Amino acid sequence: GVNEGYLVGACSGYLPTRTEEQKLKFQIHLRFFAALALLESIEEVPIDQIAKKYSTNRGLLQSLQTAASSYAGQVAVFCESLGFRTLELLLSDLQVRLFSGVQKELCDLVRVQLLTGPLARVLYNAGYTGVAKLSTADPVTIKTLLQGVLPFKDKEETGERSWLDKRHGLTELEAASHMIERAKELLQDPAVMATLR
Protein backbone atom coordinates (compact mmCIF):
# COMPACT_ATOMS: atom_id res chain seq x y z
CA GLY A 1 0.00 0.00 0.00
CA VAL A 2 0.87 3.67 0.17
CA ASN A 3 3.57 4.40 2.74
CA GLU A 4 3.86 7.86 4.30
CA GLY A 5 7.61 7.40 4.87
CA TYR A 6 8.09 6.63 1.18
CA LEU A 7 6.19 9.80 0.24
CA VAL A 8 8.36 11.91 2.56
CA GLY A 9 11.48 10.39 1.02
CA ALA A 10 10.16 10.96 -2.49
CA CYS A 11 9.46 14.63 -1.69
CA SER A 12 13.09 15.05 -0.69
CA GLY A 13 14.25 13.40 -3.92
CA TYR A 14 14.96 9.88 -2.66
CA LEU A 15 13.33 7.38 -5.05
CA PRO A 16 15.27 4.11 -5.04
CA THR A 17 14.38 1.76 -7.91
CA ARG A 18 17.28 -0.71 -7.92
CA THR A 19 15.52 -3.83 -6.65
CA GLU A 20 12.24 -5.36 -7.81
CA GLU A 21 10.64 -4.52 -4.45
CA GLN A 22 11.67 -0.86 -4.80
CA LYS A 23 10.33 -0.75 -8.36
CA LEU A 24 7.02 -2.22 -7.19
CA LYS A 25 6.78 0.30 -4.35
CA PHE A 26 7.51 3.12 -6.83
CA GLN A 27 4.73 1.89 -9.17
CA ILE A 28 2.24 1.70 -6.28
CA HIS A 29 2.93 5.31 -5.31
CA LEU A 30 2.88 6.44 -8.94
CA ARG A 31 -0.63 4.94 -9.30
CA PHE A 32 -1.62 6.70 -6.08
CA PHE A 33 -0.61 10.08 -7.53
CA ALA A 34 -2.43 9.24 -10.79
CA ALA A 35 -5.57 8.49 -8.75
CA LEU A 36 -5.23 11.83 -6.93
CA ALA A 37 -4.94 13.66 -10.27
CA LEU A 38 -8.04 11.83 -11.60
CA LEU A 39 -9.95 12.70 -8.43
CA GLU A 40 -9.18 16.38 -8.95
CA SER A 41 -10.24 16.05 -12.58
CA ILE A 42 -13.71 14.75 -11.66
CA GLU A 43 -13.98 17.50 -9.05
CA GLU A 44 -13.77 19.98 -11.99
CA VAL A 45 -10.36 21.40 -11.12
CA PRO A 46 -8.99 22.97 -14.34
CA ILE A 47 -6.54 20.65 -16.06
CA ASP A 48 -3.84 23.34 -16.15
CA GLN A 49 -3.95 23.57 -12.35
CA ILE A 50 -3.73 19.79 -12.01
CA ALA A 51 -0.79 19.66 -14.43
CA LYS A 52 1.04 22.33 -12.47
CA LYS A 53 0.32 20.70 -9.10
CA TYR A 54 1.59 17.28 -10.22
CA SER A 55 4.44 18.65 -12.37
CA THR A 56 3.21 17.03 -15.56
CA ASN A 57 1.71 18.18 -18.85
CA ARG A 58 -1.88 18.43 -20.08
CA GLY A 59 -1.45 15.73 -22.70
CA LEU A 60 -0.39 13.14 -20.16
CA LEU A 61 -3.33 14.01 -17.91
CA GLN A 62 -5.77 13.86 -20.81
CA SER A 63 -4.36 10.47 -21.84
CA LEU A 64 -4.75 9.28 -18.26
CA GLN A 65 -8.38 10.47 -18.21
CA THR A 66 -9.12 8.73 -21.50
CA ALA A 67 -7.47 5.47 -20.43
CA ALA A 68 -9.20 5.45 -17.03
CA SER A 69 -12.55 6.27 -18.65
CA SER A 70 -12.11 3.48 -21.19
CA TYR A 71 -11.20 0.99 -18.49
CA ALA A 72 -14.21 2.01 -16.37
CA GLY A 73 -16.42 1.45 -19.43
CA GLN A 74 -14.95 -2.00 -20.04
CA VAL A 75 -15.50 -3.04 -16.44
CA ALA A 76 -19.06 -1.63 -16.58
CA VAL A 77 -19.84 -3.82 -19.62
CA PHE A 78 -18.35 -6.81 -17.82
CA CYS A 79 -20.49 -6.09 -14.73
CA GLU A 80 -23.58 -5.81 -16.93
CA SER A 81 -22.89 -9.21 -18.48
CA LEU A 82 -22.61 -10.71 -14.97
CA GLY A 83 -25.88 -9.09 -13.90
CA PHE A 84 -24.26 -6.70 -11.40
CA ARG A 85 -26.60 -3.83 -12.37
CA THR A 86 -25.77 -1.53 -9.43
CA LEU A 87 -22.03 -1.76 -9.98
CA GLU A 88 -22.54 -1.32 -13.72
CA LEU A 89 -24.47 1.93 -13.13
CA LEU A 90 -21.78 3.27 -10.80
CA LEU A 91 -19.03 2.50 -13.27
CA SER A 92 -20.98 3.93 -16.22
CA ASP A 93 -21.33 7.23 -14.35
CA LEU A 94 -17.65 7.12 -13.42
CA GLN A 95 -16.78 6.57 -17.07
CA VAL A 96 -18.63 9.74 -18.11
CA ARG A 97 -17.14 11.70 -15.21
CA LEU A 98 -13.59 10.61 -16.01
CA PHE A 99 -13.97 11.28 -19.73
CA SER A 100 -15.52 14.72 -19.27
CA GLY A 101 -13.88 15.78 -16.01
CA VAL A 102 -17.16 16.64 -14.29
CA GLN A 103 -19.03 16.01 -11.07
CA LYS A 104 -21.95 13.57 -11.00
CA GLU A 105 -24.68 16.18 -11.46
CA LEU A 106 -23.30 17.10 -14.91
CA CYS A 107 -23.23 13.56 -16.36
CA ASP A 108 -26.58 14.07 -18.06
CA LEU A 109 -25.66 17.41 -19.66
CA VAL A 110 -22.26 16.40 -21.05
CA ARG A 111 -24.00 13.84 -23.26
CA VAL A 112 -25.09 16.77 -25.44
CA GLN A 113 -22.80 17.36 -28.40
CA LEU A 114 -20.65 20.53 -28.00
CA LEU A 115 -21.12 20.65 -24.22
CA THR A 116 -17.84 20.47 -22.35
CA GLY A 117 -17.54 20.32 -18.58
CA PRO A 118 -17.19 24.09 -18.07
CA LEU A 119 -20.10 24.85 -20.44
CA ALA A 120 -22.27 22.22 -18.74
CA ARG A 121 -21.44 23.80 -15.36
CA VAL A 122 -22.59 27.23 -16.59
CA LEU A 123 -25.88 25.78 -17.86
CA TYR A 124 -26.39 23.72 -14.69
CA ASN A 125 -25.82 26.77 -12.48
CA ALA A 126 -28.40 28.65 -14.57
CA GLY A 127 -31.02 25.97 -13.85
CA TYR A 128 -30.61 23.72 -16.89
CA THR A 129 -29.89 20.63 -14.80
CA GLY A 130 -30.43 17.99 -17.46
CA VAL A 131 -31.07 17.17 -21.09
CA ALA A 132 -34.86 17.49 -20.66
CA LYS A 133 -34.63 21.06 -19.34
CA LEU A 134 -32.06 22.05 -21.97
CA SER A 135 -34.31 20.71 -24.75
CA THR A 136 -37.03 23.21 -23.79
CA ALA A 137 -34.67 26.18 -23.44
CA ASP A 138 -34.86 29.38 -25.45
CA PRO A 139 -31.82 29.70 -27.77
CA VAL A 140 -31.42 33.40 -26.95
CA THR A 141 -31.22 32.61 -23.23
CA ILE A 142 -28.60 29.92 -23.86
CA LYS A 143 -26.71 32.34 -26.13
CA THR A 144 -26.60 34.87 -23.29
CA LEU A 145 -25.20 32.22 -20.95
CA LEU A 146 -22.55 31.21 -23.48
CA GLN A 147 -21.33 34.76 -24.07
CA GLY A 148 -18.99 34.72 -21.08
CA VAL A 149 -17.63 31.26 -21.74
CA LEU A 150 -14.86 30.04 -24.01
CA PRO A 151 -14.32 28.75 -26.71
CA PHE A 152 -15.55 31.72 -28.73
CA LYS A 153 -13.42 34.01 -30.86
CA ASP A 154 -14.38 37.44 -32.17
CA LYS A 155 -14.53 37.76 -35.94
CA GLU A 156 -12.91 41.10 -36.66
CA GLU A 157 -14.66 41.72 -39.97
CA THR A 158 -18.24 41.07 -38.77
CA GLY A 159 -18.01 41.70 -35.04
CA GLU A 160 -19.75 38.35 -34.40
CA ARG A 161 -18.34 35.79 -32.04
CA SER A 162 -17.59 32.39 -33.52
CA TRP A 163 -17.70 29.03 -31.73
CA LEU A 164 -14.35 27.33 -32.11
CA ASP A 165 -15.51 23.93 -33.27
CA LYS A 166 -13.47 21.39 -35.22
CA ARG A 167 -16.01 21.10 -38.01
CA HIS A 168 -17.02 24.70 -38.65
CA GLY A 169 -17.46 28.05 -36.96
CA LEU A 170 -20.81 28.68 -35.31
CA THR A 171 -22.06 31.93 -33.89
CA GLU A 172 -23.17 31.91 -30.26
CA LEU A 173 -26.83 31.70 -31.30
CA GLU A 174 -26.12 28.87 -33.74
CA ALA A 175 -24.18 27.00 -31.03
CA ALA A 176 -27.05 27.49 -28.57
CA SER A 177 -29.60 26.25 -31.12
CA HIS A 178 -27.36 23.30 -31.99
CA MET A 179 -27.10 22.28 -28.32
CA ILE A 180 -30.86 22.47 -27.87
CA GLU A 181 -31.44 20.39 -31.01
CA ARG A 182 -28.92 17.76 -29.83
CA ALA A 183 -30.73 17.64 -26.45
CA LYS A 184 -34.04 17.05 -28.24
CA GLU A 185 -32.45 14.28 -30.32
CA LEU A 186 -31.13 12.62 -27.16
CA LEU A 187 -34.62 12.62 -25.70
CA GLN A 188 -35.89 10.82 -28.82
CA ASP A 189 -33.31 8.01 -28.46
CA PRO A 190 -34.72 5.13 -26.37
CA ALA A 191 -31.22 3.81 -25.52
CA VAL A 192 -30.23 7.19 -24.10
CA MET A 193 -33.55 7.63 -22.32
CA ALA A 194 -32.97 4.36 -20.47
CA THR A 195 -29.74 5.77 -18.99
CA LEU A 196 -31.15 9.17 -18.01
CA ARG A 197 -32.33 9.41 -14.43
Side-chain angles (χ1 to χ4, degrees):
V2 176
N3 183 304
E4 188 176 347
Y6 187 90
L7 293 175
V8 171
C11 288
S12 62
Y14 180 69
L15 286 170
T17 56
R18 283 185 230 116
T19 68
E20 286 302 314
E21 184 181 340
Q22 290 172 335
K23 288 177 184 177
L24 178 62
K25 193 176 271 193
F26 176 72
Q27 288 298 317
I28 289 169
H29 288 82
L30 197 58
R31 283 192 293 271
F32 174 67
F33 273 91
L36 291 176
L38 287 171
L39 175 64
E40 291 198 31
S41 164
I42 64 174
E43 291 296 324
E44 298 180 30
V45 175
I47 199 158
D48 291 330
Q49 287 181 16
I50 300 170
K52 185 176 179 182
K53 181 175 184 177
Y54 292 96
S55 300
T56 189
N57 61 52
R58 282 178 63 113
L60 183 64
L61 286 171
Q62 289 169 330
S63 293
L64 179 63
Q65 275 183 281
T66 302
S69 172
S70 177
Y71 186 69
Q74 292 168 0
V75 176
V77 169
F78 181 68
C79 289
E80 180 185 29
S81 69
L82 293 176
F84 300 152
R85 182 73 177 139
T86 305
L87 190 54
E88 185 259 330
L89 287 172
L90 288 171
L91 288 167
S92 293
D93 277 351
L94 181 62
Q95 178 188 15
V96 173
R97 293 182 66 194
L98 286 167
F99 184 78
S100 303
V102 296
Q103 293 183 13
K104 185 170 177 38
E105 68 259 21
L106 299 184
C107 286
D108 189 23
L109 280 173
V110 293
R111 295 173 196 262
V112 177
Q113 186 182 11
L114 295 182
L115 272 183
T116 61
L119 292 173
R121 175 56 62 196
V122 168
L123 293 175
Y124 184 89
N125 290 344
Y128 298 99
T129 56
V131 173
K133 285 192 177 184
L134 181 60
S135 70
T136 61
D138 174 41
V140 176
T141 304
I142 300 300
K143 173 192 174 225
T144 304
L145 292 170
L146 296 178
Q147 285 180 332
V149 182
L150 293 176
F152 287 99
K153 179 181 177 185
D154 289 332
K155 289 183 181 176
E156 293 177 20
E157 61 277 359
T158 63
E160 290 182 329
R161 289 165 48 95
S162 174
W163 175 273
L164 297 179
D165 178 63
K166 290 178 184 166
R167 296 164 307 172
H168 56 280
L170 298 172
T171 65
E172 291 164 324
L173 186 59
E174 290 169 338
S177 297
H178 184 75
M179 288 176 196
I180 293 167
E181 286 305 312
R182 296 299 80 77
K184 288 176 182 175
E185 287 173 12
L186 282 173
L187 290 176
Q188 304 284 326
D189 186 347
V192 173
M193 284 304 295
T195 64
L196 297 179
R197 289 178 285 289

